[in-house]
Amino acid sequence: MNKAPEPARRPGIRAAMFVDFDNVFTGLQALDPAAARRFAEDPKQWADALSDGGAADDSRRFLIRNCYLNPMVYSKYRPYWTRAGFRVIDCPSLTQRGKSSTDINLVLDAMDALSGSVAIEEFFIASADADFTSLIQRFRAADRMTTVIAAGAVAFAYREMADHVVESHDFVAILNGTTAEPLNAVASAKLPPGPATAKAKPKTGSPAVAEVLKFVRSASGPVKGALVAHRALSAEPSLKTDWAGLGRFGAWVAQIGKDIEYSPAKGGWVWDAKRFSAEDLPAPAEVQPGVEERVTRVTDVPALSAAQFRQIFTSMEARLREHQLNRNELARQVRDDCVSAGEPVSRNAVNFVLQGLAYADFQLRDDATAAEIAAAWTANVEELCRVALLEFDASEKLAVRRWASGGLLDK
C-alpha cells in the first residue's frame, strides 16, 4: 500500500506570539500614549507588520496568537484582539499587590507550543519582563529563534538571550506607521534583508546623492554618519520621511555605490573607499576611555562624549521652549542641532536618551532646563548600571555622573 504524500509545506516561518498586554501597554503609555492606544485597539496592524519579513521565505505565519491581560483593568480592549484573531486569556490579579497570573499562563502555553506536534520555528515574546529569561533559554536550547518585543527597559541577560529585540522606539515607529522596514531590518540583531528591502535605491542624480559624494570625497578621513545624513537632508528634505523607501539612513547611503562605504560600527561612519578603509575608523578607546567605556559596553547607553550629551540637553531645552513637539520630531530637531553645533550624534542616540527620560518619569515640559534634563537622564544611567551589577568606587561614580550629565551636575 502506497503511503500518501505529505502535503507541501506552506511558505513562511512558523511562528508563535505571546503578548503580555499589561506590560507592553504600560510601557508604551510612558513612551507614547497614542502608540499605546494603537497597540491596544489595532493589534492586526502591527501584527501584520511583524509578519512581513520582506520576502516569501522570510515572512511569518503566526500559528499561535495569544494575548494575556488583566480583565479587571483592560477588558474593554478584548474585542479588538479577538477580532484580530488573537486568543485572549484572562489573567486577573491573584494577590493584594495586584500581581496577575500572566507569567505562569504565558509560560505554560509557550512550553506546550514548544513541545507540540507542529514545530514552531520562531517564538515572539511581547514583554520587557525579565522573568521570561528562563523561557527564552528553553527556546534557545531547543534551537528555536526568539524575538523579544520591548516597550520598556530590557534587562541585559534577557536581551542577550534573545536572537532579536524589537526596541521600544522601533515598536513605536511600527505602531505609528512611520517605518518602511520589515521586522528583519527593525530587529536589533538584523537578519538578511529580503528582496523587498533591496528594491529601492537612491537616485544617482538626486541632490542628496550629489551632496554626499562631494562631501565624502573631499573629506580628510571617514566622516561621522550623522554629519553625512545632515548634508543629505539639507540637500533633499523629502528624504526625512523614509529615506527613499529604505527606511533608514544606513540602508540609503550603503546603496549609493560609487566607492562610498558605510559601517554602522562606532556610531556610524561613511568614507571614500578609494582613499580609506574600515581600518581608518577611530578605535573605541579614542572615543570612550575608562569607566565610560564599561558603561556603554554593558548597558547600551550611547557611546557619546560628555560634550555631546551636554549638547543634547541644551538643544532639548531650546526646542521645548519654542513649541510642543512629538517625540519623533523632537529627536530629529535635536539631532540636527547637535550636528550644526559641531557635536554630531545619531537620531538613535537621541531616541535612547528620550526613552531613558521616560523611564525616569521625566516630563518634557516647555520650561524644562538642560540641568533638569541632565539630572533625570543621569539618574536613568545610574539605574541601568545598578541593574547591570556594575560596581564602581566613589571616584568612578563621580566620573560616570559627570560624563552622563555632560558636566551639568558638577555644581
Side-chain angles (χ1 to χ4, degrees):
M1 181 175 179
N2 294 329
K3 183 179 179 181
E6 294 185 1
R9 187 186 184 282
R10 295 175 61 187
I13 299 170
R14 294 187 295 265
M17 180 183 291
F18 302 89
V19 180
D20 181 349
F21 182 96
D22 302 27
N23 181 278
V24 176
F25 185 76
T26 302
L28 288 172
Q29 282 278 43
L31 296 173
D32 188 327
R37 186 174 64 254
R38 293 187 183 96
F39 161 78
E41 297 181 355
D42 193 5
K44 184 179 186 304
Q45 177 265 329
W46 58 263
D48 288 348
L50 294 176
S51 298
D52 181 15
D57 291 339
D58 293 329
S59 62
R60 289 159 184 79
R61 291 188 297 121
F62 285 107
L63 306 184
I64 298 173
R65 294 187 182 194
N66 285 1
C67 172
Y68 304 82
L69 60 75
N70 186 338
M72 304 293 292
V73 184
Y74 299 116
S75 61
K76 66 179 181 180
Y77 296 116
R78 171 191 288 275
Y80 300 110
W81 291 74
T82 55
R83 183 178 180 181
F86 279 79
R87 172 178 168 238
V88 179
I89 297 91
D90 286 341
C91 300
S93 299
L94 300 178
T95 68
Q96 291 182 344
R97 294 186 177 182
K99 178 67 173 177
S100 76
S101 57
T102 289
D103 290 11
I104 186 63
N105 281 311
L106 191 156
V107 169
L108 288 173
D109 288 343
M111 291 304 295
D112 285 344
L114 180 63
S115 60
S117 57
V118 176
I120 299 296
E121 298 168 288
E122 185 170 10
F123 287 83
F124 282 67
I125 304 295
S127 178
D129 191 341
D131 288 349
F132 295 121
T133 302
S134 296
L135 181 62
I136 298 291
Q137 289 174 329
R138 288 294 187 95
F139 294 151
R140 287 184 66 89
D143 195 22
R144 309 298 169 87
M145 297 290 290
T146 57
T147 296
V148 168
I149 302 172
V154 182
F156 307 105
Y158 187 35
R159 176 191 297 275
E160 291 302 313
M161 286 304 303
D163 292 296
H164 314 118
V165 178
V166 180
E167 301 287 356
S168 299
H169 58 270
D170 283 322
F171 192 40
V172 167
I174 291 173
L175 291 166
N176 290 335
T178 57
T179 177
E181 297 176 286
L183 173 63
N184 290 359
V186 169
S188 61
K190 295 178 176 60
L191 297 171
T197 61
K199 285 182 180 178
K201 284 181 177 282
K203 296 179 181 179
T204 55
S206 76
V209 171
E211 177 63 23
V212 167
L213 291 174
K214 177 183 176 182
F215 181 50
V216 175
R217 286 173 176 171
S218 63
S220 59
V223 185
K224 288 187 177 181
L227 285 172
V228 179
H230 182 67
R231 290 291 190 110
L233 291 173
S234 297
E236 199 169 338
S238 62
L239 287 176
K240 71 179 181 180
T241 56
D242 64 355
W243 287 101
L246 291 164
R248 291 190 178 186
F249 166 73
W252 179 84
V253 74
Q255 296 193 51
I256 289 179
K258 300 182 180 296
D259 295 309
I260 299 299
E261 296 287 340
Y262 168 77
S263 171
K266 306 167 188 174
W269 291 85
V270 184
W271 64 90
D272 179 0
K274 287 185 177 180
R275 298 181 296 137
F276 307 105
S277 70
E279 295 181 356
D280 295 303
L281 298 181
E286 296 176 15
V287 179
Q288 287 298 337
V291 67
E292 298 92 336
E293 184 183 4
R294 289 170 58 193
V295 174
T296 58
R297 188 173 64 247
V298 176
T299 68
D300 291 334
V301 168
L304 305 180
S305 67
Q308 287 172 312
F309 278 127
R310 183 168 60 252
Q311 186 59 54
I312 288 177
F313 307 141
T314 302
S315 298
M316 281 187 185
E317 175 184 337
R319 290 297 180 178
L320 290 170
R321 270 167 170 58
E322 291 177 0
H323 49 80
Q324 191 65 34
L325 298 168
N326 63 44
R327 174 174 160 161
N328 287 336
E329 189 65 14
L330 179 60
R332 183 186 67 79
Q333 292 192 9
V334 169
R335 185 274 314 274
D336 290 348
D337 290 344
C338 290
V339 172
S340 299
E343 296 292 349
V345 300
S346 70
R347 191 165 175 176
N348 280 344
V350 179
N351 272 319
F352 195 98
V353 173
L354 287 170
Q355 183 172 293
L357 293 173
Y359 295 153
D361 294 325
F362 183 80
Q363 300 298 316
L364 295 173
R365 312 178 313 274
D366 58 5
D367 62 344
T369 66
E372 290 173 339
I373 297 171
W377 162 250
T378 302
N380 176 69
V381 172
E382 291 171 340
E383 176 63 13
L384 290 175
C385 293
R386 186 191 67 79
V387 172
L389 303 180
L390 284 172
E391 296 182 358
F392 302 120
D393 59 28
S395 63
E396 289 174 329
K397 287 180 181 179
L398 181 58
V400 170
R401 182 175 175 82
R402 288 175 172 168
W403 164 67
S405 69
L408 293 176
L409 301 185
D410 284 347
K411 296 180 180 179

